[in-house]
Amino acid sequence: MDTATPAVTVALHDGASVIASSGQVDARRHGELLLPAVDRVLAEAGVKLDAVTGVVVGVGPGPYTGLRVGLVTAATFGSALSVPVHGLCTLDGLAYAAGQGGLEGPFAVATDARRKEVYWARYEDARTRTGDPAVDRPADIAAELAGLPVVGAGAVLYPEAFPDARGPEHVAAGALAALAAERLAAGEGLLEPQPLYLRRPDAQVPKNYKVVTPK
Protein backbone atom coordinates (compact mmCIF):
# COMPACT_ATOMS: atom_id res chain seq x y z
CA MET A 1 0.00 0.00 0.00
CA ASP A 2 1.04 3.59 -0.54
CA THR A 3 -0.42 6.94 0.51
CA ALA A 4 2.63 9.16 -0.03
CA THR A 5 1.13 10.85 -3.10
CA PRO A 6 -2.45 11.87 -3.95
CA ALA A 7 -2.98 8.23 -5.01
CA VAL A 8 -4.42 5.87 -2.40
CA THR A 9 -3.25 2.55 -3.79
CA VAL A 10 -3.41 -1.05 -2.57
CA ALA A 11 -2.44 -4.34 -4.22
CA LEU A 12 -2.21 -8.02 -3.30
CA HIS A 13 0.81 -9.94 -4.60
CA ASP A 14 1.31 -13.70 -4.36
CA GLY A 15 5.09 -13.64 -4.76
CA ALA A 16 4.91 -14.09 -8.51
CA SER A 17 2.39 -11.54 -9.74
CA VAL A 18 -0.24 -9.01 -8.70
CA ILE A 19 -3.58 -10.76 -8.23
CA ALA A 20 -5.72 -7.74 -7.30
CA SER A 21 -5.24 -3.98 -7.05
CA SER A 22 -7.06 -0.74 -6.37
CA GLY A 23 -6.12 2.90 -6.85
CA GLN A 24 -7.88 6.22 -6.42
CA VAL A 25 -6.43 9.72 -6.69
CA ASP A 26 -7.71 12.04 -3.96
CA ALA A 27 -5.20 14.12 -2.02
CA ARG A 28 -7.58 14.90 0.85
CA ARG A 29 -9.17 11.55 1.74
CA HIS A 30 -6.37 9.07 2.37
CA GLY A 31 -7.80 8.06 5.74
CA GLU A 32 -11.28 7.48 4.32
CA LEU A 33 -10.21 5.56 1.23
CA LEU A 34 -7.44 3.24 2.36
CA LEU A 35 -9.30 0.58 4.36
CA PRO A 36 -12.17 0.29 1.84
CA ALA A 37 -9.49 -0.21 -0.83
CA VAL A 38 -7.97 -3.03 1.22
CA ASP A 39 -11.40 -4.64 1.49
CA ARG A 40 -11.96 -4.36 -2.27
CA VAL A 41 -8.62 -5.93 -3.09
CA LEU A 42 -9.16 -8.85 -0.74
CA ALA A 43 -12.68 -9.40 -2.07
CA GLU A 44 -11.47 -9.30 -5.67
CA ALA A 45 -8.78 -11.85 -4.86
CA GLY A 46 -11.24 -14.02 -2.90
CA VAL A 47 -9.08 -14.21 0.22
CA LYS A 48 -9.36 -13.17 3.84
CA LEU A 49 -7.04 -10.76 5.60
CA ASP A 50 -5.46 -13.61 7.59
CA ALA A 51 -4.03 -14.97 4.33
CA VAL A 52 -1.60 -12.04 4.17
CA THR A 53 1.96 -13.08 5.02
CA GLY A 54 3.66 -9.69 4.78
CA VAL A 55 2.99 -5.99 4.22
CA VAL A 56 4.90 -3.56 2.00
CA VAL A 57 4.28 0.15 2.46
CA GLY A 58 5.59 3.18 0.60
CA VAL A 59 7.64 5.32 2.99
CA GLY A 60 7.64 8.41 0.79
CA PRO A 61 8.95 10.99 0.45
CA GLY A 62 5.55 12.58 0.82
CA PRO A 63 3.49 15.13 2.74
CA TYR A 64 3.17 14.39 6.45
CA THR A 65 -0.58 13.80 6.76
CA GLY A 66 -1.11 11.50 3.80
CA LEU A 67 2.08 9.52 4.29
CA ARG A 68 1.40 8.61 7.91
CA VAL A 69 -2.01 7.10 7.02
CA GLY A 70 -0.39 4.29 5.06
CA LEU A 71 2.43 3.77 7.53
CA VAL A 72 0.16 3.56 10.57
CA THR A 73 -2.24 1.22 8.76
CA ALA A 74 0.61 -1.03 7.63
CA ALA A 75 2.02 -1.17 11.16
CA THR A 76 -1.42 -2.03 12.55
CA PHE A 77 -1.87 -4.89 10.07
CA GLY A 78 1.61 -6.16 10.84
CA SER A 79 0.92 -6.19 14.56
CA ALA A 80 -2.55 -7.73 14.26
CA LEU A 81 -1.43 -10.46 11.85
CA SER A 82 2.07 -10.98 13.31
CA VAL A 83 3.64 -10.55 9.87
CA PRO A 84 6.65 -8.49 8.76
CA VAL A 85 6.17 -4.92 7.52
CA HIS A 86 8.63 -3.70 4.88
CA GLY A 87 9.23 -0.17 3.66
CA LEU A 88 10.00 0.86 0.10
CA CYS A 89 10.76 4.30 -1.32
CA THR A 90 7.70 5.56 -3.19
CA LEU A 91 9.90 7.06 -5.91
CA ASP A 92 11.44 3.61 -6.47
CA GLY A 93 7.95 2.22 -7.08
CA LEU A 94 7.30 4.90 -9.69
CA ALA A 95 10.63 4.22 -11.38
CA TYR A 96 9.92 0.49 -11.48
CA ALA A 97 6.49 1.10 -13.00
CA ALA A 98 8.05 3.33 -15.65
CA GLY A 99 10.45 0.53 -16.48
CA GLN A 100 7.56 -1.91 -16.76
CA GLY A 101 6.06 0.54 -19.24
CA GLY A 102 9.17 0.39 -21.41
CA LEU A 103 11.18 3.39 -20.21
CA GLU A 104 14.92 2.79 -20.16
CA GLY A 105 17.39 4.76 -18.10
CA PRO A 106 18.82 7.06 -17.19
CA PHE A 107 15.85 9.13 -16.05
CA ALA A 108 14.44 10.92 -13.01
CA VAL A 109 11.27 10.69 -10.93
CA ALA A 110 9.50 13.74 -9.46
CA THR A 111 6.36 13.92 -7.35
CA ASP A 112 4.47 16.93 -6.04
CA ALA A 113 5.87 18.18 -2.74
CA ARG A 114 3.54 21.21 -2.60
CA ARG A 115 4.98 24.66 -1.73
CA LYS A 116 6.04 24.82 -5.43
CA GLU A 117 8.59 22.05 -4.82
CA VAL A 118 9.07 18.44 -5.92
CA TYR A 119 10.37 15.30 -4.29
CA TRP A 120 12.80 13.76 -6.76
CA ALA A 121 15.58 11.28 -7.43
CA ARG A 122 17.73 10.16 -10.37
CA TYR A 123 17.79 6.59 -11.69
CA GLU A 124 20.34 4.70 -13.77
CA ASP A 125 17.55 2.32 -14.72
CA ALA A 126 14.15 1.26 -13.39
CA ARG A 127 15.71 -0.67 -10.50
CA THR A 128 18.73 1.48 -9.64
CA ARG A 129 18.51 4.84 -7.87
CA THR A 130 21.76 6.82 -8.05
CA GLY A 131 21.35 8.98 -4.95
CA ASP A 132 19.10 9.81 -2.04
CA PRO A 133 15.68 11.39 -2.62
CA ALA A 134 15.60 15.16 -2.23
CA VAL A 135 13.13 18.05 -2.17
CA ASP A 136 13.79 21.14 -4.29
CA ARG A 137 12.20 23.82 -6.42
CA PRO A 138 11.92 22.63 -10.04
CA ALA A 139 13.88 25.60 -11.38
CA ASP A 140 16.80 24.74 -9.08
CA ILE A 141 17.22 21.24 -10.54
CA ALA A 142 16.14 21.84 -14.13
CA ALA A 143 19.72 22.18 -15.38
CA GLU A 144 20.84 19.08 -13.49
CA LEU A 145 18.07 16.99 -15.07
CA ALA A 146 18.22 18.61 -18.52
CA GLY A 147 17.84 16.06 -21.29
CA LEU A 148 16.43 13.37 -19.02
CA PRO A 149 12.90 12.03 -19.10
CA VAL A 150 11.18 12.79 -15.78
CA VAL A 151 8.47 10.45 -14.50
CA GLY A 152 5.62 11.48 -12.23
CA ALA A 153 3.16 14.23 -11.39
CA GLY A 154 5.97 16.62 -10.50
CA ALA A 155 7.09 16.66 -14.12
CA VAL A 156 3.56 17.25 -15.36
CA LEU A 157 3.07 20.15 -12.95
CA TYR A 158 6.24 21.97 -14.02
CA PRO A 159 6.70 21.47 -17.78
CA GLU A 160 8.95 24.52 -18.05
CA ALA A 161 11.52 22.76 -15.86
CA PHE A 162 10.83 19.20 -17.04
CA PRO A 163 9.84 19.29 -20.73
CA ASP A 164 10.14 15.52 -21.21
CA ALA A 165 7.46 14.38 -18.76
CA ARG A 166 6.63 10.67 -18.73
CA GLY A 167 4.06 8.47 -17.04
CA PRO A 168 2.89 7.12 -14.76
CA GLU A 169 1.98 10.23 -12.79
CA HIS A 170 1.27 8.43 -9.52
CA VAL A 171 2.62 5.33 -7.85
CA ALA A 172 0.66 2.08 -8.06
CA ALA A 173 0.84 -0.46 -5.25
CA GLY A 174 1.12 -3.26 -7.80
CA ALA A 175 4.50 -1.94 -8.96
CA LEU A 176 5.59 -1.37 -5.38
CA ALA A 177 4.68 -4.96 -4.47
CA ALA A 178 6.35 -6.42 -7.56
CA LEU A 179 9.59 -4.55 -6.83
CA ALA A 180 9.52 -5.63 -3.19
CA ALA A 181 8.90 -9.27 -4.16
CA GLU A 182 11.79 -9.12 -6.62
CA ARG A 183 14.18 -7.70 -4.03
CA LEU A 184 13.12 -10.12 -1.31
CA ALA A 185 13.50 -13.08 -3.69
CA ALA A 186 17.03 -11.88 -4.45
CA GLY A 187 17.84 -11.74 -0.74
CA GLU A 188 18.02 -7.95 -0.70
CA GLY A 189 16.90 -6.04 2.36
CA LEU A 190 14.08 -3.52 2.30
CA LEU A 191 13.67 -0.34 4.32
CA GLU A 192 12.26 -0.03 7.79
CA PRO A 193 8.64 1.21 7.63
CA GLN A 194 9.58 4.70 8.80
CA PRO A 195 8.44 7.92 7.08
CA LEU A 196 10.73 9.75 4.71
CA TYR A 197 9.51 13.32 5.13
CA LEU A 198 12.61 15.30 4.00
CA ARG A 199 11.24 18.40 5.73
CA ARG A 200 9.22 19.40 8.77
CA PRO A 201 5.40 19.25 8.72
CA ASP A 202 3.41 22.41 8.03
CA ALA A 203 1.79 22.37 11.48
CA GLN A 204 4.22 23.63 14.12
CA VAL A 205 4.07 25.02 17.63
CA PRO A 206 3.91 28.84 17.45
CA LYS A 207 7.05 30.67 18.51
CA ASN A 208 7.16 33.11 21.42
CA TYR A 209 3.76 32.16 22.77
CA LYS A 210 2.94 33.00 26.37
CA VAL A 211 2.26 30.29 28.92
CA VAL A 212 -0.73 31.17 31.06
CA THR A 213 -1.10 29.44 34.40
CA PRO A 214 -4.03 29.86 36.78
CA LYS A 215 -3.39 31.75 40.01
Side-chain angles (χ1 to χ4, degrees):
M1 65 181 67
D2 193 292
T3 59
T5 75
V8 179
T9 177
V10 177
L12 191 64
H13 196 283
D14 65 3
S17 62
V18 175
I19 56 177
S21 63
S22 173
Q24 186 171 346
V25 177
D26 190 328
R28 298 181 180 274
R29 298 173 60 216
H30 292 84
E32 298 174 44
L33 298 175
L34 183 57
L35 289 179
V38 172
D39 288 341
R40 282 196 304 275
V41 165
L42 293 172
E44 181 182 336
V47 300
K48 301 292 186 182
L49 184 60
D50 60 9
V52 173
T53 58
V55 180
V56 175
V57 60
V59 300
Y64 178 80
T65 302
L67 179 55
R68 66 178 180 174
V69 170
L71 287 164
V72 170
T73 302
T76 301
F77 282 147
S79 178
L81 300 171
S82 298
V83 299
V85 180
H86 306 286
L88 197 62
C89 176
T90 298
L91 301 181
D92 290 357
L94 261 168
Y96 188 81
Q100 288 180 316
L103 181 61
E104 298 180 355
F107 61 88
V109 173
T111 60
D112 182 18
R114 304 174 186 172
R115 304 184 193 173
K116 298 183 179 180
E117 294 178 328
V118 293
Y119 299 116
W120 69 282
R122 291 186 62 152
Y123 290 81
E124 186 63 31
D125 55 51
R127 295 172 175 80
T128 310
R129 178 160 35 87
T130 58
D132 293 330
V135 57
D136 288 289
R137 289 184 177 273
D140 294 340
I141 58 173
E144 182 176 349
L145 302 184
L148 293 180
V150 182
V151 174
V156 175
L157 284 170
Y158 302 101
E160 68 286 353
F162 312 120
D164 190 3
R166 304 289 183 93
E169 287 190 35
H170 301 292
V171 68
L176 206 71
L179 177 58
E182 184 178 295
R183 289 181 174 176
L184 289 171
E188 300 177 20
L190 298 181
L191 301 175
E192 291 296 317
Q194 299 297 323
L196 185 61
Y197 292 130
L198 299 187
R199 66 186 182 201
R200 294 184 178 184
D202 292 331
Q204 298 184 30
V205 177
K207 295 180 179 179
N208 301 321
Y209 68 93
K210 294 182 179 179
V211 178
V212 179
T213 55
K215 294 182 180 180

